[in-house]
Amino acid sequence: MKDIDMRSLKNIIFPSILALLFFCQTVGACTSFQLVAADGSRVYARTMEFQFPLYSDVVIMPRNFHFVATGPNNQPGASWDGKYGVVGMNGFGKPLVIDGLNEKGLAGGILYFPDHAVYANPKDVDAKKSMAPWEFMSWALMNFASVAQIKAALNDVSVINIVQPDLKVVPPFHYVFHDASGAVLVVEPIKGKLVAHDNPYGVMTNSPPFDWHVNNLGNYVKLSPVEPDPIKVFGQSVSPISTGAGFLGMPGDSTSPSRFIRALAYTSTITPAKSADENVRLAEHVLHNFDIPIGSIRTPINKKTFMELTQWSVISDLKNMRFYFSTYDYQPLRMVDLNRTNFDKPTPTFISLKSKYSIETLATQ
């Protein structure tokens, strides 16, 4: 199969326009979660936020595709022939996956992890087992069928602290995985090692680390979808001022801790869908609670203002093997059916996200 050396992809690993982005700690307000339907089927969904265009396409990674990762000093690192076909989102035309679903029902995504991502020192690792932070998701989805298999293989690879030559920075990431059995895994580079956390809550956002978010749940134990009863204060009856008072105090801002709480509040209390197809539609409604319209998050840098937005959202149906996506400019869902996808092509396939949006006009005669 075709051998792609990631060291030579200077123009498609990360464009230089993103250099400032990695110094800005407010960007990357990604939110992910899972929903379980009444029939036991599951979907994984996430939003992707950045302040610069990612120029993403849908990428189809074929089976047996030979991948050469980046090692110390930009020499060849780990290499593998992918066992499974993958459908997902890329960025800047590169043949790797930011977020995707493989043909065994394993889904996963890269989330931004500033201030806390500490990768392995390239001097301390086996070069042939090393890879760059932006390659780890492709390694996992191309080679494994379950969360358990990823956990068992983490000691076999090293995600290294490597500067992207054009950017002069190391992109800070952590990773989340979901499989059809219901297992959810968070993998974080902490103090040079890949630390795995089972995630029974099924939601994930950005920094701080996962265990911090779990501890923070204790601040919100009174949140409830149930309307509270009136209370007596000095003999006077005080009633909730409106419906929704059970969630009074739920944080509504776009910080990572607030989005974690909000995602868990919604996913743990909504009425489950009956089937996988209905679950996809329900996931859409939850995703819209995390849409960031352009202009609502602004970062001034060198007298310029950069504005974050939800560039795309994806939903992976882990039962029916369907990968759904929507974009900021085209909200209707589009879908790639993995059961009908040709994974035997020799090279990756790219599908443009661009589509002309039009509003349906209903007949009135």
Side-chain angles (χ1 to χ4, degrees):
M1 312 307 293
K2 183 177 179 181
D3 184 343
I4 285 190
D5 186 339
M6 298 305 296
R7 299 170 297 134
S8 66
L9 299 177
K10 293 181 179 179
N11 296 323
I12 58 178
I13 289 181
F14 287 103
S16 58
I17 195 172
L18 285 179
L20 288 175
L21 185 73
F22 292 121
F23 294 106
C24 175
Q25 304 309 303
T26 63
V27 301
C30 305
T31 304
S32 73
F33 59 87
Q34 74 166 352
L35 296 179
V36 184
D39 66 358
S41 58
R42 298 170 185 272
V43 300
Y44 151 75
R46 66 85 56 87
T47 64
M48 168 57 80
E49 285 79 18
F50 257 81
Q51 291 181 334
F52 293 94
L54 290 175
Y55 302 106
S56 294
D57 296 311
V58 173
V59 59
I60 300 172
M61 302 293 289
R63 303 183 193 104
N64 302 313
F65 184 71
H66 189 65
F67 195 110
V68 180
T70 309
N73 299 315
N74 288 309
Q75 296 301 306
S79 65
W80 60 86
D81 296 317
K83 294 180 181 179
Y84 307 116
V86 182
V87 174
M89 304 294 274
N90 74 345
F92 304 101
K94 49 188 185 293
L96 50 77
V97 179
I98 297 173
D99 191 289
L101 172 68
N102 75 16
E103 58 184 314
K104 292 297 183 179
L106 177 69
I110 296 174
L111 282 73
Y112 206 61
F113 192 45
D115 294 329
H116 296 279
V118 179
Y119 303 108
N121 187 330
K123 298 179 180 179
D124 298 332
V125 302
D126 182 345
K128 295 302 181 181
K129 295 182 178 180
S130 64
M131 64 188 65
W134 54 88
E135 297 162 343
F136 179 77
M137 181 57 57
S138 298
W139 168 79
L141 294 182
M142 292 172 71
N143 288 298
F144 303 108
S146 68
V147 159
Q149 290 179 3
I150 295 174
K151 289 176 66 176
L154 287 180
N155 291 332
D156 297 335
V157 296
S158 297
V159 177
I160 59 175
N161 186 67
I162 184 168
V163 173
Q164 202 285 326
D166 296 324
L167 298 179
K168 310 302 181 186
V169 294
V170 180
F173 296 143
H174 60 175
Y175 315 91
V176 63
F177 299 95
H178 296 246
D179 68 27
S181 75
V184 183
L185 183 71
V186 173
V187 178
E188 297 181 324
I190 304 293
K191 297 181 179 179
K193 297 186 179 296
L194 293 175
V195 178
H197 298 278
D198 292 319
N199 182 354
Y201 306 103
V203 304
M204 195 58 206
T205 54
N206 312 104
S207 299
F210 176 70
D211 54 1
W212 186 98
H213 287 289
V214 172
N215 289 334
N216 188 47
L217 294 178
N219 290 317
Y220 298 94
V221 294
K222 293 291 287 184
L223 291 182
S224 169
V226 179
E227 296 297 316
D229 294 327
I231 63 172
K232 290 289 186 178
V233 179
F234 294 118
Q236 305 300 309
S237 180
V238 180
S239 300
I241 199 168
S242 75
T243 58
F247 278 148
L248 187 65
M250 183 168 69
D253 60 79
S254 294
T255 62
S256 177
S258 294
R259 287 181 285 105
F260 191 101
I261 296 299
R262 202 157 67 252
L264 184 56
Y266 291 137
T267 59
S268 64
T269 62
I270 56 177
T271 301
K274 295 180 180 179
S275 64
D277 288 341
E278 291 183 15
N279 215 12
V280 170
R281 306 303 300 185
L282 184 58
E284 270 195 291
H285 289 290
V286 178
L287 281 171
H288 289 322
N289 286 279
F290 302 95
D291 280 345
I292 296 180
I294 190 167
S296 63
I297 297 180
R298 304 184 183 211
T299 304
I301 301 178
N302 296 334
K303 298 182 179 180
K304 293 184 179 180
T305 299
F306 296 89
M307 294 184 285
E308 194 164 342
L309 74 157
T310 301
Q311 297 192 23
W312 45 258
S313 298
V314 300
I315 302 171
S316 291
D317 180 345
L318 307 186
K319 177 181 179 180
N320 293 318
M321 306 300 299
R322 294 170 179 169
F323 181 79
Y324 297 83
F325 59 95
S326 64
T327 66
Y328 188 88
D329 293 322
Y330 194 86
Q331 286 289 301
L333 284 183
R334 287 170 279 175
M335 182 267 287
V336 177
D337 188 339
L338 275 69
N339 296 303
R340 300 183 178 183
T341 298
N342 182 1
F343 288 118
D344 292 321
K345 293 183 177 181
T347 58
T349 301
F350 302 91
I351 303 172
S352 174
L353 298 183
K354 294 181 180 179
S355 185
K356 185 177 181 180
Y357 178 75
S358 62
I359 298 175
E360 180 182 3
T361 301
L362 302 179
T364 57
Q365 298 296 328

